[in-house]
């Protein structure tokens, strides 16, 4: 599928030049040496980092860069209520959503509280029987078990009816959420959410687990105990940041930076148990787990996140909390083995459902004319339809909803995914009169409806997408940070680029483009249709640079026949036969 390239605005030249001069440590630097720091300065300015002091803060995150937890609205009330509950020996329930952010948040707050208080338990709602967030069933369970305070994490900001119901039963709520509130807040004892319209908290993009960390930070200060004792929980915050795709800016950058250090140096027992089945570890003679490379946020997204999610998708999110708060290797191994079993089952269902969805769409002669995709099957497992929707978007690049039938409530349940810059949530909202429930955000949503409304909804959804989507939004886009010459690519530049990590939304791995290139004689197909080649510039003298283009084997003949082409790529490092060299990881190629 053809992709469009969009090169980001470079920024003010004078500002970039001034910052580059401050960053460059080389006296009397040559033009090529100084060019490295111009590129770095351009990337920083694109990220809103315009001064040397801001750059230093970006490259050298410190705990002191975190904001005072008590700046969050209602934090004093929340701390006061928890300390009151402890003094009165009331039972406290730590309640969270079933996804990675929710379960990691519950594991964090529960692990902190249980160190000095025993009258606590945790609750994760059943994905299929209760749905997302605070449920009436969960409130009833708390009431039946005599809980007087519920701390809910990664949910609750829109649970007005459920929290009012709890209040009638004499149960207080402390809401720790990071989602956008409604016009009014729920009737909770305290509502901790930086996105409140009356919030003056300096940073708005914390994960749900990040809000939980802020709560325990405030409790720690109230108890006159050192902040350093909380560093053991930063691995959980890093996992939530990675899995929940929140911006890697501000406090999230600091928390993710130190959370990754914790995982790489001293992972908690539960994470060791998960990673024991991955390909990034080895064991020394003492049986201690060591990693054979530095784990990144991508590893948390692809190795840890799906496994933690698998428990909630296939059975219960409680299992994920038990794993993450495990205190001994036996407990962790037992939970990890169950989760690994669920993850294998999830993969099998994912693979089978994806194959069936592709086959269904290939039989649809009208697919090419449609602006949206809606696909339904009564036998698909609800735990994988969101993953399958994402795969359909990858292949067809259209706003997509995948539906399955839910026997529990006789409803059809769907998971929606969108293409870049297209607000699928607002389209679903415009069809809400046909739905029994919906929720989500701009690019992903969940919904349910009665079977008799499916046909009308499908037609209206297609109509609304067609009316609102632009031609540009139907073509996949690659955002390119800068256009550079091959000769600009140096080991010095690569070393500095690595310091931009951890990478994530609003701080993605830089993508560069270079133009008017030709391939050398060193070109071949490797693996399953991957293109391995070396390139040189046709206009600017340069050394040949090795490239890998995954799935790009179809370009082999044109390159071998001398066609000129442009590339966009990330700069990576590759080791082969004991030699390490820079390699360009191609994202696209245009002749």
């Amino acid at each position: 599928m053809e992709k469009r390239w969009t090169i980001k605005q470079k920024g003010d030249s004078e500002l970039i030049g001034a910052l580059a001069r401050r960053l460059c440590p080389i006296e009397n630097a040559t033009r090529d040496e100084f060019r490295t720091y111009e590129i770095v300065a351009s990337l920083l300015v694109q990220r809103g980092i315009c001064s040397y002091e801001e750059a230093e803060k970006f490259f050298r995150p410190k705990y002191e860069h975190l904001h005072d937890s008590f700046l969050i609205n209602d934090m004093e009330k929340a701390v006061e209520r928890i300390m009151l509950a402890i003094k009165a020996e009331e039972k406290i329930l730590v309640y969270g959503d079933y996804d990675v952010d929710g379960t990691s948040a519950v594991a964090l707050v529960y692990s902190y509280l249980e160190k000095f208080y025993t009258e606590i338990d945790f609750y994760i709602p059943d994905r299929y029987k209760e749905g997302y967030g605070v449920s009436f069933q969960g409130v009833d369970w708390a009431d039946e078990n005599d809980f007087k305070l519920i701390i809910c994490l990664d949910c609750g900001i829109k649970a007005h009816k459920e929290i009012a119901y709890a209040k009638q039963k004499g149960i207080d709520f402390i809401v720790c959420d990071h989602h956008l509130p409604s016009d009014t807040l729920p009737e909770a004892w305290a509502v901790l959410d930086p996105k409140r319209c009356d919030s003056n908290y300096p940073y708005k993009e914390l994960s749900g687990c990040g809000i939980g960390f802020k709560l325990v930070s405030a409790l720690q200060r109230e108890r006159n105990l050192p902040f350093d004792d909380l560093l053991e929980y930063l691995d959980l915050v890093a996992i939530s940041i990675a899995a929940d795709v929140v911006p890697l800016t501000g406090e999230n950058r600091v928390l993710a930076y130190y959370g990754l250090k914790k995982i790489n140096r001293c992972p908690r027992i539960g994470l060791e148990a998960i990673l024991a089945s991955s390909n990034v570890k080895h064991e020394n003679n003492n049986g201690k787990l060591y990693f054979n490379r530095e784990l990144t946020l991508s590893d948390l997204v692809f190795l840890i996140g799906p496994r933690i999610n698998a428990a909630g998708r296939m059975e219960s999110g409680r299992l994920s909390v038990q794993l993450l708060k495990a205190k001994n290797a036996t407990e962790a191994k037992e939970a990890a083995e169950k989760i690994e079993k669920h993850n294998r089952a999830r993969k099998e269902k994912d693979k089978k459902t994806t194959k069936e969805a592709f086959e269904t769409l290939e039989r649809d002669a009208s697919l090419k004319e449609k602006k949206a995709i809606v696909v339904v099957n009564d036998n698909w497992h609800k735990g994988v339809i969101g993953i399958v929707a994402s795969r359909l978007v990858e292949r067809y690049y259209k706003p997509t909803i995948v539906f399955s039938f839910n026997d529990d409530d006789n409803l059809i349940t769907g998971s929606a995914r969108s293409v870049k810059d297209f607000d699928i949530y607002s389209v679903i909202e415009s069809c809400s009169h046909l739905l029994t429930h919906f929720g989500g955000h701009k690019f992903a949503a969940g919904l349910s409806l009665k079977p008799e409304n499916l046909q009308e909804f499908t037609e209206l959804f297609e109509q609304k997408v067609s009316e609102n989507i632009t031609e540009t939004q139907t073509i996949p886009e690659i955002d390119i940070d800068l256009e550079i010459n091959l000769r600009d690519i140096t080991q010095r530049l690569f070393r500095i680029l690595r310091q931009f990590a951890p990478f994530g939304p609003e701080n993605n791995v830089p993508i560069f483009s270079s133009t008017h290139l030709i391939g050398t004689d060193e070109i071949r197909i490797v693996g399953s249709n991957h293109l391995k080649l070396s390139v040189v510039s046709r206009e600017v003298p340069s050394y040949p640079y090795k490239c890998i283009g995954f799935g790009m084997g179809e370009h082999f003949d044109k390159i071998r026949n001398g066609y000129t082409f442009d590339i966009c790529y990330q700069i990576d490092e590759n080791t082969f036969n004991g030699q390490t060299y820079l390699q360009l990881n191609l994202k696209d190629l245009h002749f």
Side-chain angles (χ1 to χ4, degrees):
M1 184 180 294
E2 185 179 346
K3 300 179 177 69
R4 58 191 169 97
W5 297 6
T6 303
I7 298 180
K8 297 176 185 175
Q9 289 188 341
K10 188 177 178 182
D12 182 84
S13 315
E14 290 186 12
L15 187 61
I16 290 168
L19 182 56
R21 285 188 289 275
R22 289 292 310 275
L23 292 171
C24 182
I26 306 167
E27 285 190 35
N28 302 316
T30 65
R31 182 72 192 90
D32 285 347
E33 288 171 332
F34 186 69
R35 174 66 178 148
T36 294
Y37 296 94
E38 283 185 322
I39 292 170
V40 171
S42 294
L43 294 172
L44 290 172
V45 169
Q46 284 176 340
R47 287 157 175 73
I49 300 161
C50 300
S51 70
Y52 181 82
E53 292 71 27
E54 289 172 340
E56 186 175 41
K57 197 173 178 180
F58 177 80
F59 286 125
R60 304 287 181 267
K62 296 179 180 177
Y63 296 123
E64 297 78 50
H65 298 158
L66 297 174
H67 304 300
D68 182 350
S69 296
F70 282 98
L71 292 176
I72 296 178
N73 296 53
D74 287 359
M75 185 62 81
E76 288 186 13
K77 291 170 67 177
V79 169
E80 178 188 3
R81 182 64 184 90
I82 293 170
M83 298 309 292
L84 181 65
I86 292 169
K87 186 177 180 180
E89 298 184 351
E90 292 177 339
K91 293 180 73 174
I92 301 174
L93 185 64
V94 184
Y95 188 116
D97 195 24
Y98 43 70
D99 66 3
V100 178
D101 194 11
T103 52
S104 60
V106 169
L108 189 158
V109 174
Y110 182 91
S111 298
Y112 175 79
L113 290 174
E114 75 167 344
K115 285 189 173 182
F116 61 93
Y117 191 60
T118 58
E119 291 298 307
I120 60 169
D121 202 349
F122 68 93
Y123 189 96
I124 305 293
D126 184 287
R127 184 186 191 105
Y128 305 114
K129 294 178 181 177
E130 298 172 72
Y132 165 79
V134 181
S135 68
F136 290 108
Q137 184 176 325
V139 173
D140 284 338
W141 188 90
D143 183 45
E144 290 162 9
N145 290 276
D146 200 31
F147 286 91
K148 297 301 179 187
L149 176 63
I150 296 178
I151 303 171
C152 72
L153 298 140
D154 190 37
C155 59
I157 197 64
K158 292 188 177 180
H160 294 77
K161 292 178 181 178
E162 294 84 353
I163 290 175
Y165 179 67
K167 191 174 181 180
Q168 291 173 4
K169 292 178 174 291
I171 300 172
D172 290 330
F173 255 86
I174 293 173
V175 174
C176 304
D177 206 348
H178 68 130
H179 296 100
L180 198 64
S182 307
D183 293 336
T184 58
L185 298 175
E187 293 183 73
W189 183 279
V191 177
L192 312 181
D193 188 338
K195 291 191 175 81
R196 286 173 52 159
C197 61
D198 60 345
S199 173
N200 292 316
Y201 191 70
Y203 190 69
K204 309 293 184 187
E205 302 299 336
L206 290 166
S207 64
C209 188
I211 304 291
F213 182 77
K214 285 293 178 179
L215 176 62
V216 301
S217 300
L219 285 166
Q220 189 78 344
R221 200 167 99 189
E222 178 70 15
R223 297 170 64 219
N224 293 313
L225 295 173
F227 174 81
D228 286 0
D229 291 350
L230 301 178
L231 303 185
E232 65 174 287
Y233 304 115
L234 289 181
D235 53 353
L236 294 174
V237 183
I239 290 168
S240 76
I241 288 170
D244 223 51
V245 204
V246 291
L248 255 293
T249 57
E251 285 190 297
N252 283 340
R253 180 172 174 81
V254 178
L255 294 167
Y257 179 87
Y258 285 103
L260 277 170
K261 284 187 178 295
K262 167 77 168 62
I263 291 169
N264 279 289
R265 293 175 182 174
C266 184
R268 66 180 52 233
I269 293 171
L271 294 184
E272 281 194 10
I274 287 182
L275 291 166
S277 61
S278 75
N279 62 355
V280 296
K281 57 87 185 177
H282 64 84
E283 294 179 16
N284 70 1
N285 294 332
N286 298 321
K288 175 66 179 174
L289 192 74
Y290 286 90
F291 301 122
N292 51 21
R293 63 176 173 80
E294 191 87 357
L295 294 182
T296 67
L297 280 192
S298 289
D299 293 312
L300 306 190
V301 171
F302 295 110
L303 292 177
I304 295 175
R307 287 169 168 83
I308 294 174
N309 260 333
R313 290 181 187 278
M314 309 306 290
E315 185 189 310
S316 169
R318 282 189 66 86
L319 191 57
S320 297
V321 178
Q322 288 164 356
L323 173 79
L324 294 174
K325 72 177 189 65
K327 293 179 180 177
N328 60 71
T330 303
E331 181 186 358
K333 184 180 179 183
E334 184 179 328
E337 286 175 349
K338 288 181 182 177
I339 283 177
E340 192 59 39
K341 182 180 177 182
H342 288 315
N343 191 49
R344 285 195 296 270
R346 189 270 308 167
K347 280 184 176 179
E348 289 172 8
K349 288 186 181 296
D350 170 12
K351 185 177 179 181
K352 181 175 180 291
T353 305
T354 301
K355 181 174 180 290
E356 291 175 354
F358 283 156
E359 289 172 349
T360 300
L361 291 171
E362 292 305 322
R363 292 193 297 267
D364 184 356
S366 65
L367 176 65
K368 191 173 182 181
E369 284 71 43
K370 289 179 179 176
K371 296 296 184 183
I373 290 174
V374 176
V375 63
V376 189
N377 190 305
D378 290 351
N379 299 316
W380 289 342
H381 193 285
K382 285 201 306 180
V384 301
I385 57 175
I387 302 169
V388 174
S390 295
R391 299 201 195 290
L392 296 182
V393 172
E394 285 175 16
R395 174 174 286 196
Y396 299 105
Y397 208 70
K398 298 182 180 190
T400 297
I401 303 178
V402 177
F403 281 113
S404 66
F405 186 73
N406 185 5
D407 287 323
D408 292 334
D409 51 19
N410 197 36
L411 294 174
I412 294 178
T413 301
S415 194
R417 297 293 184 271
S418 191
V419 298
K420 185 178 179 183
D421 294 334
F422 183 74
D423 187 349
I424 199 169
Y425 180 85
S426 65
V427 171
I428 291 171
E429 189 174 35
S430 69
C431 307
S432 60
H433 61 286
L434 297 170
L435 305 175
T436 57
H437 173 78
F438 73 98
H441 53 80
K442 187 174 181 179
F443 302 121
L447 61 158
S448 59
L449 48 75
K450 294 177 180 178
E452 57 265 30
N453 289 336
L454 178 62
Q455 182 64 36
E456 186 179 353
F457 172 83
T458 302
E459 293 171 358
L460 183 60
F461 180 73
E462 169 67 24
Q463 177 190 325
K464 294 291 185 181
V465 171
S466 299
E467 289 171 355
N468 289 281
I469 200 165
T470 65
E471 193 61 35
T472 302
Q473 289 170 331
T474 64
I475 304 171
E477 180 183 30
I478 297 178
D479 283 324
I480 296 169
D481 293 81
L482 291 172
E483 182 180 322
I484 61 175
N485 294 319
L486 291 182
R487 66 187 295 171
D488 295 328
I489 303 168
T490 63
Q491 284 288 349
R492 179 185 287 114
L493 175 63
F494 179 68
R495 285 195 300 270
I496 299 174
L497 291 180
R498 286 200 297 189
Q499 295 178 49
F500 276 69
F503 295 109
E506 297 186 31
N507 184 42
N508 289 307
V509 178
I511 293 180
F512 301 99
S513 66
S514 296
T515 60
H516 300 98
L517 309 181
I518 54 172
T520 67
D521 292 337
E522 187 184 337
I523 176 173
R524 64 189 189 278
I525 303 293
V526 297
S528 57
N529 200 37
H530 306 317
L531 187 65
K532 190 96 173 170
L533 73 159
S534 291
V535 298
V536 294
S537 172
R538 215 164 203 163
E539 297 180 342
V540 181
S542 71
Y543 295 108
Y545 275 85
K546 296 181 184 296
C547 306
I548 181 75
F550 294 104
M552 295 185 183
E554 71 272 15
H555 299 314
F556 177 84
D557 288 336
K558 278 191 173 183
I559 294 173
R560 188 180 58 179
N561 290 330
Y563 279 67
T564 302
F565 53 91
D566 305 336
I567 59 174
C568 62
Y569 54 90
Q570 294 172 352
I571 304 173
D572 290 338
E573 205 169 45
N574 191 44
T575 300
F576 184 71
N577 285 340
Q579 287 191 321
T580 299
Y581 55 88
L582 295 182
Q583 176 176 267
L584 310 186
N585 184 345
L586 302 185
K587 298 303 169 186
D588 199 17
L589 186 154
H590 284 172
F591 289 97

